[in-house]
Amino acid sequence: MAIDKSGTWWVGSEPQDIGGFLEAYSAKSYKTDLFRLSTCKCGGTAFSLLADEDEGCAQRICARCGEEHFLCDSEDYLEDATLEAWECVECEGAVANVGVGFSLYEDGEIRWLYVGARCAACGMLGCYSSWKVAYAPSKQLIEQA
Ligand SMILES: [Zn+2]
Ligand SMILES: [Zn+2]
């Protein structure tokens, strides 16, 4: 993994760099304890990303097979959400690697989660949405990134 921090935006050389980015991004807040890279059933890791920052809702659509998936508990908030398509602010690319950072309570339940994205074209890293979980059981969401 290699993150280039020299420019305005952090740039990751590979999808897993989203994890390192989210750790740094959340360092002064609820820290990211665990990271999961979003991976489609087909094995694809490049997606169109739709998200609402305020309502805590994110959906990814696989660039390879078109499979749609709501990240973690996003579907619970869908009714009130206005989903906007992610676009890279650097190169206007619309395909990203996606991953979720989880901040955990001591008992392993989820306190907070962060949706990160890495532009598949230029590598720009960003956190696109984050929201509170804070209910139990919630551990199942870790495998629904
Ligand atoms: Zn797929
Ligand atoms: Zn880009």
Side-chain angles (χ1 to χ4, degrees):
M1 297 199 286
I3 299 180
D4 178 355
K5 304 174 185 174
S6 61
T8 309
W9 310 101
W10 286 17
V11 174
S13 63
E14 55 187 289
Q16 288 287 350
D17 288 330
I18 299 167
F21 169 79
L22 289 176
E23 276 175 31
Y25 178 88
S26 63
K28 292 195 175 82
S29 177
Y30 298 129
K31 286 189 179 62
T32 294
D33 298 302
L34 198 67
F35 173 72
R36 286 287 187 276
L37 185 69
S38 296
T39 308
C40 181
K41 286 174 196 157
C42 78
T45 56
F47 305 94
S48 308
L49 179 64
L50 299 168
D52 182 321
E53 188 156 4
D54 301 323
E55 284 300 328
C57 185
Q59 181 187 32
R60 58 174 165 82
I61 302 162
C62 179
R64 188 195 285 176
C65 75
E67 171 90 8
E68 299 177 2
H69 174 78
F70 284 98
L71 275 66
C72 304
D73 59 358
S74 287
E75 220 163 351
D76 295 347
Y77 305 99
L78 184 59
E79 203 169 308
D80 298 320
T82 306
L83 296 176
E84 284 181 43
W86 174 90
E87 186 184 272
C88 177
V89 296
E90 186 72 16
C91 76
E92 297 182 0
V95 177
N97 308 123
V98 178
V100 180
F102 297 94
S103 183
L104 306 178
Y105 291 108
E106 276 179 20
D107 63 2
E109 298 294 345
I110 301 163
R111 182 201 305 264
W112 199 273
L113 64 79
Y114 301 88
V115 177
R118 172 189 172 273
C119 177
C122 75
M124 191 204 74
L125 296 163
C127 178
Y128 201 53
S129 186
S130 78
W131 63 88
K132 183 180 172 181
V133 179
Y135 55 79
S138 62
K139 292 175 188 171
Q140 73 280 4
L141 302 181
I142 292 167
E143 303 310 327
Q144 297 169 19

